[in-house]
Structures are given as C-alpha cells and as structure tokens.
C-alpha cells in the first residue's frame, strides 16, 4: 500500500517537476509529497473506519477490560500494537484519536503512541542485519518499556484532562452511567446508513481541525529532511562525553523521519565513531520527539500534556543513551 505513495512522489517530483533525486530540494519535496499524501489518506481512512466501528459496536466491554485489574494488560497490548503497526509518529496520530474517541484509557493510548514510531518489523530486520540480534532485542524491549511506563505515569496524572476539549469530552461519558448506557443502546440499533453517516460526520469534523497542521508539520520536516547535517553530528558528538547524549536528543528534535529511515543514519554514525548510546539517543529523538509530530499533536493535546510527554521522552531517551554508552 505504502509503495503507491512512494511511486506517486517519484512521479511528481522527478518526472513532472523534474528535480534531481540527489539534491536537497529533490529529497525534501519527495519527502513532503509522499508523507503528506500518505498521512492524509490514512487520516481519512482510519478515522472513518474507527468511527464506523464505534457506531456499530459497544466499546464498553473492551474499555472495562482494560481498566482496573486488567490495566497492566492494556498497557502491554497498547505498546505491542504500537510495535507491530508500520506507522511513523504522525501516521499513528489518527489511531490515537480513534482510541481516545472510543474512551480507551488514556494510558493505553499513550503506550501505543510512544511505541508506534520507535518499533516496526522493518526496523527489527534492519537493526538485526546491522547491529545483531542482541542489540535488536534490547532495542525492542526498551521501546516497549518506554511506552508502557509512559502509559502508567500519564494514567496516574489523569492526563485525559489535558486533551483538547473536542477529545476530552469523550471521557466525560464515563462519569455518568446512564449516559453511557443510553449511548450503547442507540449505537447498537443504528442502521448501516446511519453508521456511515455518523462516520462521515466524525471524520469530516476531525480532519477539518488538523489537516492544515499536517501540511505545516510535514512541510517543516521535509525542509529539514533534505538538509540533515550528518557531518556536524559526527564531528561534535563522537567524543563520548556525558553531555553528548542529551545534546544528541535535543539536536534530533527538528528532524522528521521514521524509524526505518533513521536506521541507516544510525549505522553511518556508528561507523564514523559515534558511541552507540549517543547514536541511539539521537535516532530515538528523531523518531519520537520530532518537532513536526508535536505540531500535529498540538491539535489534539494541550500544551501541558505535550510538555509532559516531551519531558518524559527526553529524560527516558537520555537515560537509555547513558546506559548503552556505559555498557558498550
């Protein structure tokens, strides 16, 4: 499926516009066309699908199972689902919004959101071939643990209060049992046409709120993507000092890429002499704390929640980098 967007970007960038694929402009525009088209299509399809399911099925049993004594299972399942879905950080946002709309516990949705950009099957294969099975397994475990721990912390903080109002109101139904029961009775009785109309209206309302931020965020990422200053990182972050790890994490924030695209960069930096932990911190920062992603998340989260997630990821990634530098 995703090959279609790559071919579309190839055709528009290199055939119709005629840019050189080896230039920064060609790379950046190709990235913008491919990711913008992919994310917007995913946004529409996933929100429509999840909205249709919401209108068709009762989500109370699923939600109730993931709460209480089974909350720990929910964190693991959210993180696991993030690990097996082939989405970058921005592509996972539509699913995150769908989970929130279905009133799945916020910690479970955060576990998915954190893990999804860090791990996928392509990354596992690429890391395994470049750095070996042992490192790849450690990376998978760390990525999932980061998502699970984030879910636990944000559930304890009742972070659903810090979503934007149009999403936060979904959780208000849990405060009124009678409202919840009435909602379920109505959705089960919906006809196919009514479910379709509900899904179309829901999709239209959400997409209208965030489409422009998708374009702005990916546009910023595409501009930076074409001018990644790899030599600067090699020259300034390869000495292994403790401060290079948080600096590498911060330096990666403006860069927008996915985990599959960052693995070759990781291998290149390691070959140039950058310590493994510092390299890992840089690459994890690029895929999990990118500025374009947070620009899009701003449309579904308040600044407080964005700050908590960014701070958590910065500290967690820095600690991970220090541990790997000390171990290797």
């Amino acid at each position: 499926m995703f090959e279609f967007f790559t071919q579309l970007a190839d055709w528009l960038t290199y055939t119709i516009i005629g840019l050189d694929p080896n230039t920064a402009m060609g790379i950046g525009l190709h990235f913008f066309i491919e990711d913008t088209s992919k994310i917007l299509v995913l946004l529409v399809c996933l929100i429509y699908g999840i909205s249709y399911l919401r209108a068709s099925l009762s989500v109370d049993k699923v939600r109730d199972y993931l709460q209480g004594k089974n909350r720990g299972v929910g964190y693991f399942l959210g993180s696991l689902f993030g690990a097996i879905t082939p989405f970058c950080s921005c592509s996972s946002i539509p699913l995150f919004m769908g989970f929130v709309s279905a009133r799945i516990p916020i910690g479970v949705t955060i576990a998915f959101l954190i893990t999804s950009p860090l791990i996928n099957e392509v990354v596992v294969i690429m890391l395994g071939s470049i750095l070996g099975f042992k490192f790849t397994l450690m990376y998978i475990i760390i990525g999932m643990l980061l998502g699970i721990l984030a879910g636990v912390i944000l559930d304890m903080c009742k972070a659903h209060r810090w979503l934007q109002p149009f999403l936060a109101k979904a959780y208000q139904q849990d405060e009124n049992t009678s409202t919840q029961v009435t909602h379920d009775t109505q959705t089960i009785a919906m006809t196919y046409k009514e479910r379709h109309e509900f899904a179309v209206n829901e999709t239209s309302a959400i997409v209208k709120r965030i489409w422009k931020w998708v374009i702005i965020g990916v546009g910023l990422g595409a501009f930076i993507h074409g001018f990644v200053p790899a030599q600067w990182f090699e020259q300034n972050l390869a000495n292994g000092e403790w401060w290079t790890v948080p600096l590498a994490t911060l330096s990666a924030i403006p860069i927008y890429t996915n985990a599959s695209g960052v693995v070759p960069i990781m291998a290149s930096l390691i070959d140039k002499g950058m310590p493994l932990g510092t390299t890992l911190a840089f690459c994890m920062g690029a895929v999990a704390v990118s500025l374009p992603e947070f620009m899009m998340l701003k449309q579904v989260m308040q600044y407080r929640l964005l700050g908590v997630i960014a701070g958590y990821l910065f500290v967690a990634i820095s600690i991970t980098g220090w541990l790997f530098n000390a171990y290797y």
Side-chain angles (χ1 to χ4, degrees), residues 91-111:
S91 301
S92 60
I93 293 175
L95 273 177
F96 168 81
M97 295 171 63
F99 294 156
V100 169
S101 298
R103 306 197 309 280
I104 301 299
I106 188 67
V108 177
T109 67
I110 291 294

Side-chain angles (χ1 to χ4, degrees), residues 72 107 121 134 154 167 179 184 223 237 242 254-255 261 283 285 290 292:
E121 63 276 12
K134 182 179 179 181
L154 290 175
L167 287 176
T179 302
D184 285 343
F223 173 79
L237 300 178
W242 71 267
I255 300 172
C283 294
S290 69

